[in-house]
């Protein structure tokens, strides 16, 4: 213990130990399938006064943490794509706002019943409403569900949550200055400062940044350096006029959101964001007094259960009332079963204002550790969980005709000769070839709302459906079709489809798709007309139609 304290007296050694332990805990997190946020907070506790007590450069770590938060908010503004909300429509707005409202309401009631004061209960309740966009996007991307209907809806209402938390932080930042002025003077001052800040950002966005970006974009290093400098500069200006630095950083991101270089900038800054946020969570964990939060374990468990179970139920109810099927509602609902890094930042602002104590900050952090850790497994195994509890979720389906069916474009009374499951490149090419035979009626099925929209615009019959959904056949007129072609190259899903069609006594011919020779051999053991290998088929077609004649 003394050796650690002695080494930590030198900031370079201190940071070396922190980074080495961060890498070690990161590996442990990967094995446990945990997000780095959980491991970084744990790292802060380990290197803090409660365990190793090797942190002495508090000001340096705090500075890096502030820059990390600024970069985080900058990237959120940079990637703020309101088109997602527009494409999903009212479901993103209603679900996002409804979940924030009802979670805050019930969270406040629970906090009051646990004996917390009104002000503390308000902060706890609001902190419980926000879910981690970073974690959800990462998990959905890893599961290849980011483009699915429930994935798009989840991203839509997470964006709504991000906007709400920014607005709340703006209000808090005006309180942070405190002072002897009246409420009216505070409001007027805030409005004037906000107008000036937005006017400055607008002028820069319209007449300065476009020309400057073109010059700097000749060097990737320069455009990245400019983005960081712009984020930190606007964050500093924001603090000078009475707001928090986070608000300025977010606004800086918005000013570059329409830039053609935004993807290149965000791609380069993501790693820097993750690195700097390490220090925010280390700073947070190191300042946790375990003796203070020891008495909050019971309260944190109650609040965590509410977040893990109550939040998804709220989303299930809202989406059910809007006509979505239980499966879509459930999978989208699981994405709000944790609190986010914004909840901790929000609580930190409340602590800075003096509205909450270190004890409440520790409670919110503890809820974050529990919910982020457990919700990761809920999302990773969401389909297995759904299959297990599916019968009990029927009460959340309010409408007989689902919104998903309304978004589809087909007639159940129509007889289809061919049904295509999966409308990617392979499935879309099959459709183009079938278009050359007007007498053949075919129906396409896919889970991507953008693909559904494209097919509708082309006048093709298309239906929303996910082959992972065990109920997909119940909503597809497949019995009288001559052919079912699954272009989804997933062995397990193909086997499940084969068994479902067999149970339904389907008399037509089934084609499934494989990518590897091993999957081809496995699927060939089942009663299917043929197992398709798209890459081999493309190579054979190229050889027979082009290459063969030129080699002879």
């Amino acid at each position: 213990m003394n050796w650690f304290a002695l080494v930590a007296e030198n900031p370079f050694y201190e940071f070396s130990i922190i980074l080495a332990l961060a890498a070690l805990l990161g590996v442990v997190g990967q094995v446990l399938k945990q997000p780095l946020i959980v491991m970084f907070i744990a790292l802060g506790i380990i290197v803090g006064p409660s365990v190793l007590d090797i942190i002495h450069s508090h000001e340096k770590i705090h500075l890096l943490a502030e820059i990390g938060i600024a970069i985080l908010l900058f990237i959120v503004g940079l990637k703020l794509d309101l088109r997602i909300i527009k494409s999903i429509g009212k479901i993103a707005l209603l679900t996002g706002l409804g979940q924030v409202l009802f979670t805050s309401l019930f969270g406040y009631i629970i906090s009051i019943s646990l004996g917390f004061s009104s002000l503390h209960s308000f902060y706890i309740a609001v902190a419980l409403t926000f879910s981690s966009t970073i974690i959800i996007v990462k998990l959905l991307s890893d599961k290849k569900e980011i483009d699915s209907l429930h994935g798009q809806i989840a991203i839509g209402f997470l964006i709504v949550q991000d906007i709400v938390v920014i607005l709340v932080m703006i209000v808090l930042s005006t309180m942070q200055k405190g002072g002897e002025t009246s409420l009216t003077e505070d409001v007027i001052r805030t409005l004037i400062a906000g107008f000036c800040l937005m006017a400055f950002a607008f002028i820069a966005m319209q007449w300065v940044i476009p020309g400057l970006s073109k010059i700097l974009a000749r060097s990737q290093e320069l455009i990245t350096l400019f983005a960081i400098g712009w984020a930190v500069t606007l964050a500093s200006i924001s603090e000078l006029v009475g707001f928090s630095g986070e608000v300025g950083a977010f606004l800086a991101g918005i000013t570059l959101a329409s830039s053609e270089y935004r993807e290149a900038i965000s791609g380069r800054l993501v790693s820097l964001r993750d690195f700097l946020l390490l220090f925010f969570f280390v700073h947070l964990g190191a300042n946790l007094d375990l003796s203070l939060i020891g008495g909050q374990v019971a309260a944190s468990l109650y609040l965590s259960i509410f977040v893990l179970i109550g939040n998804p139920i709220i989303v299930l109810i809202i989406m059910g009332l809007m006509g979505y099927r239980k499966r879509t509602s459930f999978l989208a609902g699981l994405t709000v079963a944790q609190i986010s890094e914004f909840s901790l930042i929000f609580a930190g602002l409340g602590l800075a204002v003096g509205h909450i104590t270190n004890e409440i900050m520790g409670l919110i952090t503890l809820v974050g550790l529990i919910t982020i850790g457990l919700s990761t497994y809920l999302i990773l195994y969401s389909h297995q969980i759904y299959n297990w509890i599916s019968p009990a979720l029927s009460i959340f389906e309010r409408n007989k005709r689902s919104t998903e069916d309304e978004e589809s474009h087909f007639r159940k009374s129509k007889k289809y000769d061919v049904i295509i499951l999966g409308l990617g490149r392979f499935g879309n090419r099959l459709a183009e070839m079938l278009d050359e035979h007007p007498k053949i009626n075919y129906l396409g099925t896919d889970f991507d709302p953008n693909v559904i929209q494209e097919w509708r615009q082309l006048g093709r019959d298309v239906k929303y459906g996910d082959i992972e959904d065990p109920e997909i056949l119940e909503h597809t007129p497949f019995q009288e079709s001559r052919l079912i072609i699954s272009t989804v190259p997933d062995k397990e899903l193909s086997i499940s489809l084969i068994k479902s069609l067999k149970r339904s006594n389907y008399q037509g011919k089934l084609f499934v798709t494989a990518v590897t020779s091993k999957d081809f051999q496995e699927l060939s053991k089942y009663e299917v007309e043929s197992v398709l290998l798209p890459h081999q088929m493309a190579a054979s077609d190229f050889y027979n139609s082009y290459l063969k004649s030129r080699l002879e």
Side-chain angles (χ1 to χ4, degrees):
M1 186 76 69
N2 292 332
W3 181 83
F4 275 112
L6 180 64
V7 172
E9 289 178 2
N10 185 316
F12 183 80
Y13 296 151
E14 178 183 342
F15 277 73
S16 298
I17 294 172
I18 291 173
L19 294 176
L21 289 175
L24 180 62
L25 285 178
V27 173
V28 174
Q30 279 195 330
V31 173
L32 298 176
K33 298 183 179 179
Q34 284 295 314
L36 288 177
I37 289 177
V38 174
M39 308 314 296
F40 288 166
I41 295 176
L43 171 64
I45 295 173
I46 292 172
V47 298
S50 299
V51 185
L52 297 179
D53 192 22
I54 64 172
I55 290 186
H56 297 278
S57 305
H58 292 284
E59 291 185 0
K60 296 182 179 67
I61 291 177
H62 181 62
L63 175 61
L64 291 173
E66 285 191 324
I67 297 175
I69 294 171
I71 297 297
L72 169 65
L73 270 295
F74 174 75
I75 293 176
V76 170
L78 190 67
K79 290 186 154 186
L80 188 61
D81 193 351
L82 297 179
R83 290 174 298 177
I84 292 180
I85 297 179
K86 183 178 178 181
S87 66
I88 297 301
K90 62 181 181 181
I91 180 63
L93 287 171
L94 291 180
T95 305
L97 294 176
Q99 184 264 322
V100 168
L101 176 63
F102 288 109
T103 299
S104 299
L105 176 61
F106 291 120
Y108 181 81
I109 293 172
I110 294 172
S111 300
I112 287 290
S113 66
L114 290 173
F116 295 104
S117 68
S118 297
L119 185 58
H120 288 174
S121 295
F122 168 77
Y123 272 88
I124 294 170
V126 174
L128 299 183
T129 64
F130 306 122
S131 305
S132 178
T133 304
I134 296 174
I135 294 175
I136 298 307
V137 169
K138 178 68 167 62
L139 291 173
L140 290 178
S141 298
D142 290 347
K143 294 184 68 181
K144 296 180 173 59
E145 295 179 5
I146 197 72
D147 293 320
S148 65
L149 181 60
H150 69 267
Q152 289 289 289
I153 291 173
I155 298 303
F157 60 63
L158 286 172
I159 289 175
V160 172
Q161 285 187 4
D162 288 346
I163 295 174
V164 171
V165 73
I166 293 298
L167 295 175
V168 173
M169 289 167 69
I170 289 175
V171 174
L172 271 183
S173 67
T174 62
M175 297 179 181
Q176 192 168 357
K177 294 297 179 182
E180 301 175 355
T181 57
S182 66
L183 177 62
T184 303
E185 291 175 336
D186 282 341
V187 170
I188 294 173
R189 178 174 57 87
T190 300
L191 291 175
I192 294 174
F195 176 79
C196 293
L197 185 64
M198 292 184 68
F200 174 76
F202 179 77
I203 292 170
M205 180 174 64
Q206 288 292 110
W207 293 289
V208 179
I209 291 177
L212 190 60
S213 296
K214 288 182 180 180
I215 297 173
L216 296 174
R218 297 170 186 171
S219 168
Q220 289 290 318
E221 290 78 11
L222 272 180
I223 192 69
T224 304
L225 182 60
F226 164 72
I228 297 171
W230 176 237
V232 175
T233 299
L234 211 55
S236 300
I237 293 174
S238 178
E239 288 194 352
L240 285 174
V241 299
F243 292 103
S244 69
E246 290 84 356
V247 174
F250 177 73
L251 192 58
I254 292 178
T255 61
L256 287 172
S258 59
S259 168
E260 59 185 301
Y261 310 110
R262 81 168 192 170
E263 295 299 332
I265 293 171
S266 64
R268 281 177 166 260
L269 289 184
V270 164
S271 297
L272 178 62
R273 174 202 68 191
D274 293 341
F275 173 72
L276 291 174
L277 280 179
L278 156 67
F279 295 99
F280 169 73
F281 294 114
V282 167
H283 178 71
L284 181 67
N287 283 283
L288 283 179
D289 189 338
L290 296 183
S291 62
L292 284 178
I293 66 174
Q296 302 291 346
V297 173
S300 68
L301 290 176
Y302 287 124
L303 293 170
S304 297
I305 290 171
F306 168 66
V307 172
L308 290 165
I309 299 176
N311 273 358
I313 289 177
I314 290 171
V315 173
L316 269 165
I317 293 172
I318 295 173
M319 292 184 65
L321 290 172
M322 296 187 69
Y324 284 84
R325 293 200 192 104
K326 59 184 181 182
R327 181 177 181 275
T328 303
S329 303
F330 175 76
L331 295 178
L334 283 185
T335 62
V336 296
Q338 88 286 126
I339 67 173
S340 77
E341 63 281 358
F342 280 125
S343 302
L344 304 179
I345 294 171
F346 165 75
L349 282 175
L351 184 64
V353 174
H355 287 173
I356 64 173
T357 62
N358 283 319
E359 189 175 16
I360 300 301
M361 184 72 201
L363 170 65
I364 294 172
T365 304
L366 195 55
V367 172
L369 286 169
I370 295 171
T371 57
I372 292 172
L374 293 180
S375 68
T376 300
Y377 296 113
L378 293 179
I379 295 172
L380 288 175
Y381 300 103
S382 57
H383 297 287
Q384 293 90 326
I385 296 172
Y386 172 79
N387 292 336
W388 182 48
I389 66 173
S390 175
L393 298 177
S394 298
I395 59 173
F396 296 105
E397 287 186 324
R398 303 299 183 186
N399 298 336
K400 292 183 179 179
R401 177 175 171 80
S402 76
T403 302
E404 294 160 36
D405 283 338
E406 292 173 0
E407 291 174 351
S408 301
H409 183 70
F410 77 106
R411 297 191 299 274
K412 288 187 177 180
S413 58
K414 186 175 180 179
K415 295 180 180 179
Y416 293 99
D417 302 298
V418 180
I419 293 177
I420 305 173
L421 303 177
L423 305 178
R425 285 177 295 180
F426 188 28
N428 202 54
R429 179 57 184 151
L430 286 174
E432 291 174 355
M433 297 174 70
L434 290 173
D435 284 339
E436 298 175 3
H437 304 276
K439 293 184 178 180
I440 297 179
N441 294 321
Y442 68 90
L443 173 67
T445 300
D446 201 89
F447 63 75
D448 187 343
N450 294 323
V451 171
I452 301 292
Q453 183 64 26
E454 289 174 6
W455 273 50
R456 291 183 66 179
Q457 291 174 353
L458 292 171
R460 293 172 176 170
D461 286 359
V462 62
K463 176 189 177 302
Y464 174 84
D466 188 345
I467 194 172
E468 292 189 11
D469 186 353
E471 300 173 359
I472 185 173
L473 295 179
E474 295 180 15
H475 308 284
T476 305
F478 69 95
Q479 285 290 5
E480 297 186 19
S481 65
R482 291 154 51 191
L483 302 176
I484 294 180
I485 306 172
S486 171
T487 68
V488 181
D490 188 297
K491 183 187 69 174
E492 298 301 325
L493 294 178
S494 295
I495 293 173
S496 177
L497 177 65
I498 293 167
K499 292 179 178 178
S500 296
L501 288 172
K502 187 175 181 180
R503 287 194 299 268
S504 301
N505 197 29
Y506 176 64
Q507 299 299 313
K509 297 178 180 179
L510 173 63
F511 295 81
V512 294
T513 301
V515 174
T516 66
S517 299
K518 182 179 179 181
D519 287 350
F520 176 84
Q521 294 172 0
E522 287 288 325
L523 292 172
S524 297
K525 298 176 183 178
Y526 292 87
E527 296 178 8
V528 295
E529 183 67 21
S530 179
V531 180
L532 308 176
L533 290 166
H535 298 305
Q536 289 190 16
M537 293 166 65
S540 298
D541 180 64
F542 171 70
Y543 176 79
N544 292 324
S545 62
Y546 181 84
L547 193 59
K548 184 178 180 181
S549 61
R550 283 161 175 74
L551 292 175
E552 291 177 347

